[in-house]
Amino acid sequence: LLVAKINDRTEPTGSPTNGTDYGTISLLDIFGFESFTVNRFEQLCINYANERLQQKYVGDNFQAIKSEYEGEGINVFDFSLIDNSHVMELLEGKLGLITQLNEECVKKNGEDENFVYKFNLVNSDSSSLIQNPLHRNYEFAVRHYAAPIKYDARKFIERNLDKIPADLLKCACKSTNPLIRDEFQQLTTKLEAPKSGGPKKRSEATKHFVVTKFRQQLTSLMSLIEDSRTRYIRCVKPNKSSLPKIMDHTHTVSQLESAGLVTAIIISRESFPNRLSYELVLERFRFLSYKFEDCQLGRGNVRKDAEELLNHLLKGISADTHSGKEKAFACGK
């Protein structure tokens, strides 16, 4: 309510003098990935949002490189290290967590344990779902991009329904503050309105659930980000006590790993930092071929000439990757 009112009052009105749309500069500040001793509905929503943002980050920084390498016929780095599409499928797929939670909430007497049982059952083949026989019947675990997390599903149904107690609703309708009173009176009128005959469609029955609204808002946010030039700023807390000039290395490295930066560095080291055309390689480095008697150039094929030259110049040099020693360069199509 407050956010909607503030947005209405601060939104620019009218149109610019030149007839073009307003440009925007937006700052998205979001909680980092959360993992506590007990993780509940709120942690699930926050980590779900982080998964969506991680998917955008991967697309911006690595998808283009992957497509370029595949187009050139070069062996691609292990994209599975950073690809979290399987996690997103588990969370928002046709049989994913959001669907199973909403279906249990639609039932008259839905239970958290039933939601967990069905979610584990229909997604048993997912690599992102952690099946542990030691889990209680209200617990489930997800292998997120940052770390595996175990969730406590107790009160998931209650929090997803987000029903306002009737006595609290009546009290708010009698408020002396006109803003509060008018809004809650409108809400009461909607809740008391007679329902149309016939069974509701599932989309109609679930549209007011918290996780559904959260997903819609997140999708709208991602659409806005897709239409923008994006810059990423990773904030790292140097110590848990918020004290100056103190660096807790264990705490800091843990944040870097959770943010996916360590994996990003691994991928960057496995890719090639410089991309030159064969013609440019020959133009810049042909003069060095005089050092090698057996370096035969000028055969009419620029690719073979460039590969011949680089084989001699970079002989004995290799790159260390997670899969072992690799050639220091690669020639595409």
Side-chain angles (χ1 to χ4, degrees):
L1 169 61
L2 290 176
V3 171
K5 290 296 183 183
I6 291 173
N7 286 341
D8 288 341
R9 295 295 186 272
T10 58
E11 184 179 13
T13 57
S15 59
T17 55
N18 60 3
T20 59
D21 294 332
Y22 283 109
T24 61
I25 299 176
S26 304
L27 177 65
L28 173 62
D29 185 11
I30 186 171
F31 283 106
F33 187 82
E34 289 193 348
S35 175
F36 301 135
T37 304
V38 179
N39 299 285
R40 303 192 185 278
F41 185 75
E42 292 77 13
Q43 280 69 55
L44 175 66
C45 291
I46 290 172
N47 292 340
Y48 168 43
N50 275 279
E51 288 285 0
R52 287 290 295 268
L53 291 171
Q54 174 69 7
Q55 193 174 46
K56 177 68 168 62
Y57 174 77
V58 169
D60 287 346
N61 292 278
F62 299 105
Q63 190 65 51
I65 298 175
K66 177 175 178 287
S67 299
E68 180 184 358
Y69 282 16
E70 289 178 340
E72 289 290 338
I74 299 173
N75 291 331
V76 183
F77 49 79
D78 189 359
F79 194 71
S80 64
L81 290 173
I82 52 175
D83 182 22
N84 68 336
S85 58
H86 50 290
V87 185
M88 296 306 304
E89 180 65 21
L90 177 65
L91 295 177
E92 60 180 21
K94 188 175 181 180
L95 299 175
L97 185 145
I98 293 176
T99 300
Q100 300 305 325
L101 180 57
N102 282 342
E103 285 189 356
E104 192 63 29
C105 288
V106 169
K107 296 178 182 178
K108 186 175 181 180
N109 296 308
E111 296 181 354
D112 300 316
E113 291 79 4
N114 289 341
F115 150 66
V116 173
Y117 173 77
K118 190 173 181 181
F119 172 62
N120 284 327
L121 181 65
V122 299
N123 293 284
S124 58
D125 59 343
S126 173
S127 61
S128 297
L129 179 65
I130 302 174
Q131 301 269 16
N132 189 331
L134 297 180
H135 284 168
R136 296 179 175 86
N137 60 353
Y138 53 80
E139 294 176 335
F140 66 93
V142 176
R143 190 173 283 106
H144 288 283
Y145 79 89
I149 297 296
K150 181 175 70 174
Y151 293 97
D152 185 330
R154 286 176 292 185
K155 294 190 176 182
F156 264 44
I157 303 296
E158 177 185 331
R159 289 172 179 171
N160 192 38
L161 290 172
D162 196 30
K163 288 184 177 179
I164 302 176
D167 54 347
L168 181 59
L169 196 58
K170 291 180 180 179
C171 180
C173 289
K174 297 178 181 180
S175 172
T176 57
N177 186 310
L179 174 64
I180 297 176
R181 183 181 63 248
D182 294 345
E183 289 295 330
F184 277 93
Q185 284 178 350
Q186 292 178 22
L187 178 60
T188 303
T189 302
K190 289 180 182 178
L191 294 175
E192 294 177 348
K195 304 295 187 297
S196 58
K200 284 185 176 181
K201 291 184 179 179
R202 186 165 298 278
S203 58
E204 179 69 19
T206 62
K207 71 177 184 179
H208 297 297
F209 294 160
V210 171
V211 72
T212 300
K213 291 188 287 187
F214 187 81
R215 179 181 182 176
Q216 291 172 346
Q217 292 170 356
L218 188 57
T219 300
S220 176
L221 172 64
M222 297 310 298
S223 298
L224 179 62
I225 294 176
E226 288 289 347
D227 295 332
S228 308
R229 292 183 60 188
T230 310
R231 297 291 182 269
Y232 296 90
I233 301 174
R234 299 285 191 179
C235 299
V236 178
K237 190 176 180 181
N239 61 77
K240 296 180 181 179
S241 304
S242 300
L243 297 174
K245 300 181 181 180
I246 296 178
M247 175 69 75
D248 184 336
H249 292 285
T250 302
H251 180 62
T252 302
V253 170
S254 175
Q255 292 175 79
L256 294 176
E257 290 177 340
S258 296
L261 292 182
V262 174
T263 304
I265 292 172
I266 293 174
I267 294 297
S268 297
R269 292 182 64 182
E270 293 192 12
S271 59
F272 299 95
N274 301 304
R275 298 171 182 81
L276 303 177
S277 66
Y278 300 133
E279 292 80 4
L280 189 55
V281 169
L282 293 173
E283 179 184 336
R284 288 187 179 181
F285 306 112
R286 179 190 290 271
F287 74 96
L288 295 175
S289 64
Y290 80 92
K291 299 170 61 177
F292 310 99
E293 294 182 358
D294 58 341
C295 183
Q296 303 296 324
L297 304 180
R299 293 176 291 182
N301 188 315
V302 291
R303 173 180 175 175
K304 290 183 177 179
D305 283 350
E307 190 167 8
E308 174 78 6
L309 178 60
L310 292 175
N311 276 328
H312 282 80
L313 294 176
L314 301 176
K315 185 178 181 180
I317 300 176
S318 60
D320 290 317
T321 72
H322 81 284
S323 57
K325 297 287 184 179
E326 296 287 347
K327 206 171 180 181
F329 71 95
C331 286
K333 292 180 180 178

